[in-house]
Structures are given as C-alpha cells and as structure tokens.
Amino acid sequence: MTALMAALCYVAFTFLQIKIPTPAGYTSFHLGNVFCVVAAILIDGVSGGIAGAIGMGIADLFDPAYVLTVPKTIIIKFLIGFITGTMAHKVFKIDEKENCEKEIMMSIFVGMMFNVVAEPLLSFLYYDLILNNSDKATSYLTMAKWITTLVNATLTIIIGTTLSIAIRKRIKR
C-alpha cells in the first residue's frame, strides 16, 4: 500500500502539475501531497511520510527544475505524512470511530498548515545554509512561493479529505 501511494505521489506531482516560472526559479501547483496525506489517513503517519518522501523525492530527482531540492523534499514530505497520520491515528483515534470525517479533515489540515509554514522556511534555510545561495534563499520567502504552497495545501485538504473518506468507507466494507 505504501509503495502504491508512493507511485501515486510521483505520478500526481509529475503529471498533474502546473509549473510557474519566477525570477528565482520554478514553483508549481501540484497534487503530489494528496496521496501523501491519503496514505497517512489510510495506513499511518510513517507510511504516509515514506510514500510522500519516496514518490516526490524521486519526482524531484528526475526534474531538472527541482533536482537540487531532493533532500529538502524528502524531509518535508515525510513530515507532512507523519504529522497528518499522527493527528488522525494517535490524537483523533480515527481507527476507533465509524464516522470521523471531521477528524480526517482536521488531520489533513494540520499536516498542510505545517507544509504552508515549513516549505518556504525550510527552502530558505536549505538554500542559504546548505547550498550557500542567499539570493535563491531569499526568493523562497516571496509571495509567489507562499501563494502556490497555500493553493496546493487547500487542494490537498479538499481532495485528500474526499478521497480518504471515500476509500476508507470502501476498505471498512
């Protein structure tokens, strides 16, 4: 299941993406995070994190626009899945409940709010401290990066919640 979700993360990021060129490089609207959070809801946080890290890490590796960001992507995507799954399974205890649509949505919301804050900030630190590129680092704090990250998070909350609820109901049957 984790491998399937990793493959879906890869496909959703690679083929369901709109790249946006900015003066500092590319940012994009994509659906890769959707399957990271779906895996976290359906399996657990570690599996969701692994699916996101592997799927989107490989997608970055094969995309010249993102190849330098592979380590950062692996860390952030793992944490998105881990946080989402921990909220769902440990805090809201969705495995013990029949109707838990609100808890699923809140878990995904928390994971995506982490992403909205962490993606631009970790990108800044990664480029500044690791790659020693302060110009590129500063560009990650621009409005374009925050907007695309917020749109991606919103899409992930809506689509991820819908898919998680629908698939979870089928699995329970």
Side-chain angles (χ1 to χ4, degrees), residues 16-17 21 41 51 82 89 102-103 113 119 131 137 146 156:
L16 302 175
Q17 176 187 126
I41 297 296
F82 181 77
H89 298 281
K102 290 177 191 167
E103 291 88 347
M113 288 307 98
E119 180 70 37
L131 298 180
W146 289 94
T156 299

Side-chain angles (χ1 to χ4, degrees), residues 20 28 45 65 79 104 134 141 153 163 170:
I20 302 164
S28 67
L79 289 173
I104 289 171
S134 59
L141 297 179
L163 280 176
R170 295 282 183 180

Side-chain angles (χ1 to χ4, degrees), residues 120-131:
L121 292 178
L122 287 179
S123 295
F124 171 81
L125 293 172
Y126 181 73
Y127 276 100
D128 194 40
L129 301 176
I130 307 284
L131 298 180

Side-chain angles (χ1 to χ4, degrees), residues 16-73:
L16 302 175
Q17 176 187 126
I18 300 169
K19 279 190 184 164
I20 302 164
T22 68
Y26 284 93
T27 188
S28 67
F29 295 117
H30 66 84
L31 298 178
N33 293 332
V34 168
F35 295 100
C36 177
V37 299
V38 168
I41 297 296
L42 297 180
I43 312 169
D44 60 46
V46 172
S47 298
I50 290 170
I54 290 172
M56 288 181 276
I58 291 171
D60 277 5
L61 188 63
F62 291 121
D63 188 331
Y66 297 110
V67 71
L68 290 177
T69 65
V70 172
K72 175 192 66 82
T73 295

